[in-house]
Protein backbone atom coordinates (compact mmCIF):
# COMPACT_ATOMS: atom_id res chain seq x y z
CA UNK A 1 0.00 0.00 0.00
CA UNK A 2 1.00 3.65 -0.38
CA UNK A 3 1.72 5.85 2.64
CA UNK A 4 3.05 9.34 3.34
CA UNK A 5 6.27 8.89 5.31
CA UNK A 6 8.93 11.15 6.74
CA UNK A 7 12.30 10.85 8.49
CA UNK A 8 11.76 12.90 11.65
CA UNK A 9 14.19 15.79 12.14
CA UNK A 10 15.27 15.56 8.49
CA UNK A 11 13.85 18.44 6.43
CA UNK A 12 12.63 17.57 2.96
CA UNK A 13 12.37 13.83 3.67
CA UNK A 14 8.58 13.53 3.20
CA UNK A 15 7.84 10.92 0.56
CA UNK A 16 5.01 8.65 -0.56
CA UNK A 17 6.31 5.08 -0.33
CA UNK A 18 5.11 1.52 -0.57
CA UNK A 19 4.88 0.07 2.93
CA UNK A 20 3.61 -3.33 4.13
CA UNK A 21 -0.15 -3.70 4.53
CA UNK A 22 -1.26 -3.87 8.18
CA UNK A 23 -2.05 -7.41 9.19
CA UNK A 24 -5.58 -7.75 10.60
CA UNK A 25 -5.58 -9.27 14.05
CA UNK A 26 -8.13 -10.66 16.45
CA UNK A 27 -8.14 -7.45 18.48
CA UNK A 28 -7.79 -4.66 15.89
CA UNK A 29 -9.94 -3.06 13.24
CA UNK A 30 -8.66 -3.10 9.66
CA UNK A 31 -9.59 0.25 8.11
CA UNK A 32 -9.50 1.62 4.59
CA UNK A 33 -8.03 5.11 4.74
CA UNK A 34 -10.28 7.65 3.04
CA UNK A 35 -8.88 11.05 3.92
CA UNK A 36 -6.28 12.75 6.07
CA UNK A 37 -6.48 16.25 7.45
CA UNK A 38 -3.27 18.27 7.23
CA UNK A 39 -2.38 20.81 9.92
CA UNK A 40 0.53 22.82 11.23
CA UNK A 41 1.84 19.86 13.21
CA UNK A 42 2.25 17.81 10.02
CA UNK A 43 3.98 20.71 8.29
CA UNK A 44 6.39 21.15 11.21
CA UNK A 45 7.25 17.43 11.27
CA UNK A 46 7.81 17.48 7.49
CA UNK A 47 10.05 20.53 7.96
CA UNK A 48 12.22 18.54 10.38
CA UNK A 49 11.29 20.50 13.50
CA UNK A 50 10.31 17.46 15.59
CA UNK A 51 8.73 14.01 15.39
CA UNK A 52 9.78 10.53 16.51
CA UNK A 53 9.87 7.37 14.38
CA UNK A 54 8.72 4.02 15.82
CA UNK A 55 11.52 2.26 17.75
CA UNK A 56 14.01 0.60 15.42
CA UNK A 57 12.79 2.51 12.36
CA UNK A 58 13.98 5.55 10.44
CA UNK A 59 10.65 6.55 8.92
CA UNK A 60 7.34 7.54 10.43
CA UNK A 61 4.00 7.31 8.61
CA UNK A 62 2.65 10.84 8.92
CA UNK A 63 -0.89 11.93 9.76
CA UNK A 64 -3.07 12.16 12.85
CA UNK A 65 -6.34 13.65 11.52
CA UNK A 66 -7.84 10.45 10.19
CA UNK A 67 -10.95 9.25 8.41
CA UNK A 68 -11.54 5.68 7.29
CA UNK A 69 -14.07 2.94 6.66
CA UNK A 70 -13.91 -0.38 8.50
CA UNK A 71 -13.06 -3.40 6.35
CA UNK A 72 -12.72 -6.01 9.06
CA UNK A 73 -13.78 -5.89 12.71
CA UNK A 74 -13.31 -8.48 15.46
CA UNK A 75 -16.44 -9.98 16.98
CA UNK A 76 -17.68 -8.04 19.99
CA UNK A 77 -15.70 -4.91 19.07
CA UNK A 78 -18.82 -2.78 18.58
CA UNK A 79 -17.83 -2.06 14.97
CA UNK A 80 -18.83 -3.62 11.67
CA UNK A 81 -17.54 -3.49 8.09
CA UNK A 82 -18.66 -0.28 6.41
CA UNK A 83 -18.60 1.85 9.58
CA UNK A 84 -17.10 5.31 9.21
CA UNK A 85 -14.40 5.74 11.86
CA UNK A 86 -11.65 8.02 13.14
CA UNK A 87 -8.63 6.86 15.10
CA UNK A 88 -7.69 8.55 18.37
CA UNK A 89 -4.22 10.10 18.29
CA UNK A 90 -2.68 9.62 21.74
CA UNK A 91 -1.93 6.41 23.67
CA UNK A 92 -1.22 6.29 27.41
CA UNK A 93 2.33 5.79 28.60
CA UNK A 94 3.18 2.20 29.57
CA UNK A 95 4.04 2.87 33.22
CA UNK A 96 1.41 4.52 33.52
CA UNK A 97 1.44 7.90 35.22
CA UNK A 98 -1.52 8.63 37.56
CA UNK A 99 -3.41 10.57 34.88
CA UNK A 100 -3.00 7.83 32.27
CA UNK A 101 -3.98 5.19 34.83
CA UNK A 102 -7.29 7.01 35.26
CA UNK A 103 -8.00 7.23 31.54
CA UNK A 104 -6.89 10.88 31.26
CA UNK A 105 -3.98 10.17 28.93
CA UNK A 106 -4.47 13.53 27.23
CA UNK A 107 -3.18 14.94 30.53
CA UNK A 108 -0.13 12.62 30.77
CA UNK A 109 2.22 13.89 33.46
CA UNK A 110 5.52 12.18 32.59
CA UNK A 111 5.56 12.73 28.83
CA UNK A 112 5.95 9.05 27.97
CA UNK A 113 2.75 8.87 25.94
CA UNK A 114 2.90 7.96 22.26
CA UNK A 115 0.93 9.51 19.38
CA UNK A 116 -0.10 8.21 15.98
CA UNK A 117 1.75 10.09 13.25
CA UNK A 118 3.75 12.19 15.69
CA UNK A 119 5.56 10.24 18.37
CA UNK A 120 6.76 6.64 18.01
CA UNK A 121 3.60 5.28 16.34
CA UNK A 122 2.80 5.28 12.64
CA UNK A 123 0.06 7.68 11.68
CA UNK A 124 -3.04 7.36 9.55
CA UNK A 125 -1.60 8.66 6.27
CA UNK A 126 -1.88 5.33 4.48
CA UNK A 127 -4.36 3.54 2.26
CA UNK A 128 -4.94 0.95 4.99
CA UNK A 129 -4.45 1.24 8.73
CA UNK A 130 -5.37 -0.72 11.82
CA UNK A 131 -6.49 0.47 15.21
CA UNK A 132 -7.57 -0.97 18.54
CA UNK A 133 -11.38 -0.71 18.97
CA UNK A 134 -10.99 1.28 22.18
CA UNK A 135 -9.08 3.92 20.22
CA UNK A 136 -11.59 4.16 17.37
CA UNK A 137 -14.61 6.47 17.25
CA UNK A 138 -17.69 5.78 15.12
CA UNK A 139 -19.07 8.64 13.06
CA UNK A 140 -22.53 9.45 11.77
CA UNK A 141 -22.63 8.01 8.24
CA UNK A 142 -24.01 11.31 6.93
CA UNK A 143 -20.75 13.13 7.69
CA UNK A 144 -18.89 11.41 4.85
CA UNK A 145 -15.60 13.24 4.13
CA UNK A 146 -16.26 16.02 6.66
CA UNK A 147 -15.69 13.40 9.33
CA UNK A 148 -12.00 14.22 8.87
CA UNK A 149 -12.74 17.28 11.03
CA UNK A 150 -13.31 15.11 14.09
CA UNK A 151 -9.77 15.25 15.48
CA UNK A 152 -9.56 19.07 15.55
CA UNK A 153 -13.15 19.14 16.83
CA UNK A 154 -12.11 16.84 19.69
CA UNK A 155 -9.43 19.34 20.69
CA UNK A 156 -11.99 22.14 21.01
CA UNK A 157 -14.48 19.83 22.75
CA UNK A 158 -11.83 19.37 25.42
CA UNK A 159 -11.12 23.11 25.48
CA UNK A 160 -14.80 23.86 26.11
CA UNK A 161 -14.89 21.20 28.83
CA UNK A 162 -11.90 22.84 30.52
CA UNK A 163 -13.50 26.30 30.30
CA UNK A 164 -16.73 25.05 31.83
CA UNK A 165 -14.99 23.13 34.60
CA UNK A 166 -12.90 26.16 35.54
CA UNK A 167 -15.91 28.47 35.37
CA UNK A 168 -17.92 26.15 37.61
CA UNK A 169 -15.61 26.88 40.54
CA UNK A 170 -18.19 29.59 41.35
CA UNK A 171 -21.27 31.10 39.76
CA UNK A 172 -20.67 31.17 35.99
CA UNK A 173 -23.21 32.24 33.40
CA UNK A 174 -21.18 33.35 30.37
CA UNK A 175 -22.91 35.15 27.53
CA UNK A 176 -20.21 36.24 25.10
CA UNK A 177 -17.20 34.36 23.70
CA UNK A 178 -14.40 35.61 21.50
CA UNK A 179 -12.42 33.15 19.42
CA UNK A 180 -9.07 34.47 18.17
CA UNK A 181 -8.03 32.76 14.95
CA UNK A 182 -10.32 31.45 12.21
CA UNK A 183 -8.51 28.30 11.22
CA UNK A 184 -10.12 24.89 11.79
CA UNK A 185 -9.61 25.00 15.57
CA UNK A 186 -11.01 28.53 15.86
CA UNK A 187 -14.04 27.94 13.64
CA UNK A 188 -14.85 24.62 15.29
CA UNK A 189 -14.53 26.31 18.69
CA UNK A 190 -17.01 28.90 17.41
CA UNK A 191 -19.34 26.10 16.29
CA UNK A 192 -19.40 24.61 19.78
CA UNK A 193 -19.99 28.07 21.24
CA UNK A 194 -22.97 28.65 18.94
CA UNK A 195 -24.32 25.21 19.86
CA UNK A 196 -24.17 26.32 23.50
CA UNK A 197 -26.35 29.34 22.72
CA UNK A 198 -23.61 31.91 23.31
CA UNK A 199 -23.01 35.20 21.52
CA UNK A 200 -19.97 34.16 19.48
CA UNK A 201 -17.38 36.49 17.92
CA UNK A 202 -14.45 35.41 15.75
CA UNK A 203 -11.32 37.51 15.18
CA UNK A 204 -8.77 36.88 12.43
CA UNK A 205 -6.27 38.83 10.33
CA UNK A 206 -8.15 38.18 7.07
CA UNK A 207 -10.60 40.97 6.35
CA UNK A 208 -12.68 38.86 3.95
CA UNK A 209 -12.68 35.45 2.28
CA UNK A 210 -13.65 31.91 3.28
CA UNK A 211 -12.89 32.40 6.97
CA UNK A 212 -15.17 35.42 7.25
CA UNK A 213 -17.88 33.65 5.25
CA UNK A 214 -17.66 30.54 7.44
CA UNK A 215 -17.98 32.58 10.64
CA UNK A 216 -20.93 34.50 9.24
CA UNK A 217 -22.70 31.35 8.03
CA UNK A 218 -22.34 29.96 11.51
CA UNK A 219 -24.13 32.97 12.98
CA UNK A 220 -21.01 34.37 14.63
CA UNK A 221 -19.85 37.99 14.29
CA UNK A 222 -16.57 38.33 12.42
CA UNK A 223 -13.86 40.90 13.26
CA UNK A 224 -10.46 41.70 11.77
CA UNK A 225 -9.23 44.61 13.91
CA UNK A 226 -6.61 44.68 16.68
CA UNK A 227 -7.17 42.23 19.53
CA UNK A 228 -6.99 44.80 22.32
CA UNK A 229 -9.52 47.07 20.63
CA UNK A 230 -11.86 44.15 19.99
CA UNK A 231 -11.73 42.87 23.57
CA UNK A 232 -12.19 46.37 24.96
CA UNK A 233 -15.35 46.72 22.92
CA UNK A 234 -16.75 43.24 23.53
CA UNK A 235 -15.54 42.41 27.07
CA UNK A 236 -16.00 38.67 26.43
CA UNK A 237 -16.65 36.29 29.30
CA UNK A 238 -14.64 33.59 27.52
CA UNK A 239 -11.76 33.81 25.06
CA UNK A 240 -10.58 30.76 23.17
CA UNK A 241 -7.19 31.62 21.71
CA UNK A 242 -6.37 29.57 18.61
CA UNK A 243 -3.49 31.41 16.93
CA UNK A 244 -0.50 30.85 19.21
CA UNK A 245 0.80 34.28 18.12
CA UNK A 246 2.47 35.78 21.23
CA UNK A 247 1.03 39.34 20.90
CA UNK A 248 -2.46 37.88 20.39
CA UNK A 249 -2.03 35.54 23.35
CA UNK A 250 -1.03 38.37 25.67
CA UNK A 251 -3.85 40.67 24.58
CA UNK A 252 -6.33 37.80 24.93
CA UNK A 253 -5.22 37.05 28.48
CA UNK A 254 -5.70 40.72 29.39
CA UNK A 255 -8.97 41.08 27.51
CA UNK A 256 -11.74 39.21 29.27
CA UNK A 257 -14.46 40.66 31.42
CA UNK A 258 -14.14 40.18 35.19
CA UNK A 259 -14.15 36.53 36.26
CA UNK A 260 -13.28 35.60 32.69
CA UNK A 261 -11.68 32.43 31.38
CA UNK A 262 -9.08 32.38 28.63
CA UNK A 263 -8.30 28.99 27.09
CA UNK A 264 -5.08 28.77 25.06
CA UNK A 265 -5.20 26.16 22.29
CA UNK A 266 -2.63 27.57 19.84
CA UNK A 267 1.00 26.53 20.29
CA UNK A 268 3.52 29.36 20.05
CA UNK A 269 6.87 28.85 18.37
CA UNK A 270 9.86 29.65 20.55
CA UNK A 271 12.32 32.47 20.07
CA UNK A 272 9.85 35.35 19.76
CA UNK A 273 10.38 38.27 22.13
CA UNK A 274 7.77 40.95 22.69
CA UNK A 275 7.62 43.68 25.33
CA UNK A 276 4.77 42.94 27.75
CA UNK A 277 3.43 44.62 30.85
CA UNK A 278 3.35 41.61 33.19
CA UNK A 279 2.31 43.84 36.07
CA UNK A 280 -0.84 44.84 34.21
CA UNK A 281 -1.62 41.24 33.35
CA UNK A 282 -1.04 40.08 36.91
CA UNK A 283 -3.19 42.87 38.33
CA UNK A 284 -6.04 41.99 35.96
CA UNK A 285 -5.85 38.26 36.68
CA UNK A 286 -5.79 38.68 40.45
CA UNK A 287 -8.22 41.54 40.96
CA UNK A 288 -10.79 40.18 38.49
CA UNK A 289 -10.48 36.49 39.45
CA UNK A 290 -9.56 35.66 35.88
CA UNK A 291 -8.20 32.28 34.81
CA UNK A 292 -5.88 31.23 31.99
CA UNK A 293 -5.78 27.53 31.09
CA UNK A 294 -3.90 25.68 28.37
CA UNK A 295 -5.54 22.79 26.56
CA UNK A 296 -4.21 20.31 24.01
CA UNK A 297 -5.04 16.83 22.73
CA UNK A 298 -8.16 14.86 23.67
CA UNK A 299 -9.31 11.55 25.11
CA UNK A 300 -12.24 9.32 24.03
CA UNK A 301 -14.98 11.32 25.75
CA UNK A 302 -13.88 14.45 23.88
CA UNK A 303 -13.95 12.58 20.57
CA UNK A 304 -17.46 11.38 21.41
CA UNK A 305 -18.60 14.92 22.25
CA UNK A 306 -17.02 16.21 19.05
CA UNK A 307 -18.73 13.52 16.97
CA UNK A 308 -22.07 14.60 18.42
CA UNK A 309 -21.31 18.25 17.65
CA UNK A 310 -20.39 17.50 14.04
CA UNK A 311 -23.48 15.34 13.55
CA UNK A 312 -25.63 18.26 14.76
CA UNK A 313 -23.90 20.84 12.53
CA UNK A 314 -25.05 22.03 9.11
CA UNK A 315 -23.35 19.66 6.60
CA UNK A 316 -22.88 22.50 4.11
CA UNK A 317 -21.10 24.57 6.75
CA UNK A 318 -18.75 21.70 7.60
CA UNK A 319 -18.06 21.21 3.89
CA UNK A 320 -17.11 24.90 3.60
CA UNK A 321 -14.21 24.36 6.01
CA UNK A 322 -12.47 22.03 3.55
CA UNK A 323 -10.92 24.55 1.21
CA UNK A 324 -8.55 22.21 -0.64
CA UNK A 325 -8.50 18.49 -1.49
CA UNK A 326 -5.20 17.06 -2.68
CA UNK A 327 -4.46 13.51 -3.93
CA UNK A 328 -1.92 11.57 -1.87
CA UNK A 329 0.70 11.59 -4.64
CA UNK A 330 0.66 15.41 -4.64
CA UNK A 331 1.20 15.64 -0.88
CA UNK A 332 3.71 18.49 -1.24
CA UNK A 333 0.86 20.80 -2.25
CA UNK A 334 -1.01 19.89 0.93
CA UNK A 335 2.03 20.74 3.03
CA UNK A 336 2.07 24.27 1.59
CA UNK A 337 0.34 26.84 3.79
CA UNK A 338 -1.82 29.31 1.88
CA UNK A 339 -3.54 32.42 3.31
CA UNK A 340 -7.08 31.36 2.38
CA UNK A 341 -6.74 27.79 3.64
CA UNK A 342 -9.00 26.58 6.39
CA UNK A 343 -8.64 22.80 6.20
CA UNK A 344 -6.54 20.97 3.61
CA UNK A 345 -7.37 17.29 3.10
CA UNK A 346 -5.31 14.55 1.48
CA UNK A 347 -7.48 12.00 -0.32
CA UNK A 348 -5.92 8.59 0.19
CA UNK A 349 -7.67 6.40 -2.39
CA UNK A 350 -7.30 2.62 -2.65
Amino acid sequence: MRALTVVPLQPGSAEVRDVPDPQPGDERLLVEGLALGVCGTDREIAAGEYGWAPPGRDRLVLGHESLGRVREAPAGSGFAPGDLVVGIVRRPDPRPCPACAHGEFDMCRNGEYTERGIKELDGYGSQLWSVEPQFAVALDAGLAETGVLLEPASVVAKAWEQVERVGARSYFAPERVLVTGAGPIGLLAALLGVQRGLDVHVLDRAEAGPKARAAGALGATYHSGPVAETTERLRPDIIIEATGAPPVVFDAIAGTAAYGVTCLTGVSSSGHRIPVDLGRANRSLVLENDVVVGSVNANPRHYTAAAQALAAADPAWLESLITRRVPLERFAEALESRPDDIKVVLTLGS
Side-chain angles (χ1 to χ4, degrees):
M1 67 173 181
R2 305 291 278 166
L4 177 57
T5 69
V6 65
V7 179
L9 306 181
Q10 184 175 314
S13 64
E15 181 182 4
V16 174
R17 286 191 168 196
D18 285 314
V19 300
D21 288 2
Q23 296 301 310
D26 294 337
E27 299 180 355
R28 297 174 73 90
L29 307 177
L30 179 64
V31 181
E32 175 189 358
L34 300 177
L36 183 76
V38 177
C39 74
T41 296
D42 303 303
R43 295 184 177 107
E44 289 166 358
I45 294 174
E49 296 182 22
Y50 57 90
W52 298 260
R57 298 239 314 270
D58 293 329
R59 285 193 167 266
L60 169 75
V61 175
L62 199 59
H64 60 281
E65 297 184 10
S66 62
L67 177 67
R69 193 172 301 280
V70 175
R71 281 194 178 179
E72 299 179 22
S77 67
F79 294 89
D83 286 349
L84 201 62
V85 295
V86 162
I88 291 173
V89 177
R90 184 171 288 192
R91 302 291 184 272
D93 67 83
R95 294 194 185 186
C97 75
C100 289
H102 286 82
E104 305 281 352
F105 49 82
D106 55 311
M107 306 290 259
C108 180
R109 300 190 66 186
N110 62 19
E112 294 185 10
Y113 59 84
T114 55
E115 291 180 319
R116 297 285 298 256
I118 301 172
K119 185 182 179 187
E120 299 180 356
L121 293 175
D122 279 334
Y124 299 109
S126 54
Q127 294 172 320
L128 289 172
W129 42 269
S130 63
V131 65
E132 309 92 322
Q134 67 269 32
F135 292 110
V137 182
L139 289 174
D140 186 294
L143 286 173
E145 194 178 82
T146 56
V148 78
L149 297 168
L150 182 61
E151 192 279 336
S154 74
V155 172
V156 297
K158 176 183 174 180
W160 273 105
E161 178 192 84
Q162 297 299 304
V163 167
E164 290 164 347
R165 285 187 171 187
V166 168
R169 74 196 192 276
S170 184
Y171 172 77
F172 192 54
E175 297 179 357
R176 183 173 297 136
V177 57
L178 173 65
V179 178
T180 52
I185 294 292
L187 288 169
L188 289 167
L191 168 68
L192 270 65
V194 169
Q195 290 180 341
R196 283 163 166 77
L198 296 173
D199 175 20
V200 177
H201 297 254
V202 177
L203 175 68
D204 194 88
R205 291 180 298 177
E207 295 183 0
K211 295 178 179 180
R213 290 193 295 271
L218 188 60
T221 303
Y222 188 80
H223 307 264
S224 61
V227 180
E229 291 181 13
T230 305
T231 57
E232 181 65 28
R233 184 169 64 253
L234 295 177
R235 302 303 295 164
D237 305 298
I238 297 166
I239 295 180
I240 296 184
E241 205 299 299
T243 70
V248 178
V249 171
F250 182 77
D251 284 343
I253 289 172
T256 62
Y259 189 42
V261 180
T262 301
C263 184
L264 308 180
T265 65
V267 179
S268 304
S269 57
S270 60
H272 293 278
R273 294 176 179 269
I274 59 170
V276 297
D277 186 347
L278 289 178
R280 169 176 166 254
N282 176 74
R283 183 179 181 86
S284 172
L285 289 168
V286 172
L287 296 183
E288 296 186 354
N289 291 292
D290 293 340
V291 174
V292 180
V293 59
S295 183
V296 70
N297 209 268
N299 70 36
R301 73 172 179 273
H302 306 125
Y303 278 82
T304 299
Q308 294 168 349
L310 293 185
D314 178 359
W317 184 81
L318 294 175
E319 179 66 28
S320 74
L321 300 190
I322 300 177
T323 48
R324 279 199 291 145
R325 290 175 172 83
V326 180
L328 177 61
E329 298 295 335
R330 287 163 41 198
F331 70 89
E333 296 175 29
L335 293 174
E336 297 173 358
S337 181
R338 301 180 184 177
D340 284 342
D341 279 341
I342 299 178
K343 175 51 62 183
V344 180
V345 171
L346 274 175
T347 54
L348 300 175
S350 303

